[in-house]
Amino acid sequence: MSKSEHILSHYNPAVMEMHRALKLAQDTGASPDVIKSIETALELVDLREKYTDSVTSGETEVFHKILTETYKHDWQSLHSDGKTKWNLRPKMMTGNLEGQFLKSMVSIQNAKRVLDIGMFTGYSALSMAEALPADGELVTVDLEEYLETFTGSLLRESPHSKKIQISIGSPSDYMREAVKAGKTFDLIFLDADKSYYLEFFKIIFEEGLLAPRGTVLVDNAFAHGSGYKPSAEENSTQRVASAVEADQSLHKVMVPLRDGVLILRRKTDVVGEVPQ
Ligand SMILES: C[S@@+](CC[C@H](N)C(=O)[O-])C[C@H]1O[C@@H](n2cnc3c(N)ncnc32)[C@H](O)[C@@H]1O
C-alpha cells in the first residue's frame, strides 16, 4: 500500500457535502456550468491532497507493513467475537502526513520522553519513536489486550521499537502511576476516547505529568465535524474544546491537518520576553 492510498478527504464533511451537491445537480438536470464548477472544486480538493502527500516525506518500509497488515486484518470479526472492546478500523491510523507531523514535533521539541495514548497498530507510536534519540523513551497506552501481541510484533520490525514500551490498560491509571514515580513527558499525544480527556488534562497540567516546556497534541479535534457543527446537546469533543477555551493558562493552536490536531502548551512557555 502506498502512502497516498490511506486517504484523508473522507474526514472533511464539506467534501462529502460537495459530493452530494454534485449528485443532486446531475440528478436534477442542473446547468453543465454548475456541474463543471462542483467537479472542479472536488478535483482541487483531490489535487491539494495529492500535492500535500507528494511534498511530505515518505515513511520508512515498516510503515507499509503496518498499513498493509492493518488493512487486511479482520477487525470486524474480532469485535463480533468479543476479542476487542472497540470496533477498531484501519482508518483510525494516523497515516503518513500526520505521522510526519508528529515526528517533526518530537524533533522540534527535542523530546526525550513521549507518551502516546491510543496505540492501535502503532503508527503514531513508531512515527514519534523514530525521532527520539537512542536513550529516548516512548510509552504507548491502549486498553485493548489483543493489540499487545499484534502491534508488538509489527513494531519489533523496526530497530526504533527498542525505545517503545507498550502499556495495556487505563491511560489515567498509567498517568497517575507515572506522576507518583516522578516521571514526566516532553510530548503527549492523545488519540483515544475523548470522554476521558478532561481527566487526562488534570493529570497532565495540574498534577505535573507534562515536563516543563512540554507539548500536548490532541488528535481528532474536529471529530469529523461534530466539534464545530451546531448541535442541540454538547458532545464530548465540544466539552473538551470549551474546557480548553476557558483555560487562560494555555496557548492553543488548532491545526487543520486531517481531522484536526490541537496543540496545547503552557502560555508561560510560549510568550516571549521583551528586551530591556
Ligand atoms: C484512533 S485509534 C489510535 C490510532 C493510533 N494513534 C495510530 O496512529 O494508529 C484509538 C485507539 O485508542 C484505544 N482506546 C479507545 N479508548 C481508550 C481508552 N479509554 N483508553 C485507552 N485506549 C483507548 C483503541 O483501542 C484504539 O486502539
Side-chain angles (χ1 to χ4, degrees):
M1 167 166 295
S2 81
K3 58 180 181 169
S4 55
E5 277 171 71
H6 183 62
I7 52 159
L8 319 167
S9 53
H10 67 283
Y11 277 106
N12 189 344
V15 175
M16 309 296 284
E17 199 55 45
M18 265 197 281
H19 279 290
R20 267 193 289 274
L22 178 61
K23 182 153 188 328
L24 202 62
Q26 286 162 339
D27 291 352
T28 56
S31 105
D33 286 350
V34 171
I35 293 176
K36 182 80 202 127
S37 173
I38 303 173
E39 281 171 348
T40 305
L42 283 167
E43 258 167 47
L44 286 170
V45 171
D46 201 39
L47 285 172
R48 190 170 113 145
E49 216 150 83
K50 289 199 172 105
Y51 177 69
T52 303
D53 193 46
S54 69
V55 172
T56 303
S57 296
E59 67 249 294
T60 54
E61 205 42 51
V62 61
F63 288 95
H64 293 274
K65 181 142 190 203
I66 292 179
L67 285 171
T68 312
E69 294 299 319
T70 306
Y71 269 97
K72 74 177 192 210
H73 210 58
D74 188 356
W75 300 102
Q76 187 63 58
S77 300
L78 281 171
H79 185 54
S80 319
D81 297 347
K83 291 195 178 116
T84 59
K85 297 178 196 83
W86 265 50
N87 189 6
L88 300 167
R89 281 164 289 112
K91 291 261 187 292
M92 287 177 161
M93 283 183 286
T94 44
N96 189 61
L97 175 63
E98 194 171 354
Q100 297 301 338
F101 174 78
L102 294 173
K103 195 170 176 177
S104 277
M105 291 300 289
V106 171
S107 143
I108 292 165
Q109 177 79 41
N110 264 324
K112 258 190 124 169
R113 279 228 277 265
V114 173
L115 182 61
D116 174 65
I117 303 293
M119 168 177 74
F120 189 31
T121 52
Y123 204 108
S124 56
L126 188 58
S127 300
M128 294 189 280
E130 280 193 342
L132 285 172
D135 60 348
E137 182 195 18
L138 180 140
V139 179
T140 177
V141 186
D142 205 290
L143 53 66
E144 295 287 4
E145 277 169 37
Y146 178 84
L147 296 174
E148 185 163 25
T149 314
F150 183 80
T151 303
S153 64
L154 280 174
L155 290 175
R156 278 191 293 280
E157 301 259 331
S158 162
H160 293 280
S161 65
K162 292 186 189 124
K163 296 175 271 185
I164 301 178
Q165 185 205 319
I166 296 176
S167 170
I168 298 296
S170 143
S172 314
D173 289 352
Y174 176 81
M175 289 179 182
R176 289 225 156 84
E177 284 302 314
V179 169
K180 248 193 247 163
K183 203 166 174 167
T184 58
F185 290 91
D186 306 308
L187 191 136
I188 301 174
F189 178 55
L190 302 180
D191 191 10
D193 185 346
K194 286 215 178 56
S195 46
Y196 296 93
Y197 283 15
L198 296 183
E199 189 185 346
F200 294 169
F201 288 160
K202 192 167 175 298
I203 311 174
I204 290 170
F205 293 111
E206 291 170 32
E207 296 175 26
L209 187 66
L210 187 67
R213 302 196 62 77
T215 300
V216 176
L217 303 172
V218 183
D219 198 21
N220 299 106
F222 290 152
H224 304 192
S226 68
Y228 54 83
K229 279 196 266 183
S231 62
E233 261 178 58
E234 200 181 42
N235 56 48
S236 57
T237 306
Q238 292 165 343
R239 257 192 300 281
V240 169
S242 305
V244 165
E245 202 179 322
D247 191 334
Q248 293 308 311
S249 72
L250 297 177
H251 180 265
K252 314 137 197 178
V253 190
M254 175 67 90
V255 185
L257 184 155
R258 210 172 178 232
D259 194 28
V261 180
L262 178 63
I263 305 180
L264 300 175
R265 302 197 73 219
R266 295 183 188 96
K267 215 180 243 175
T268 47
D269 290 337
V270 175
V271 177
E273 289 167 357
V274 176
Q276 296 304 311

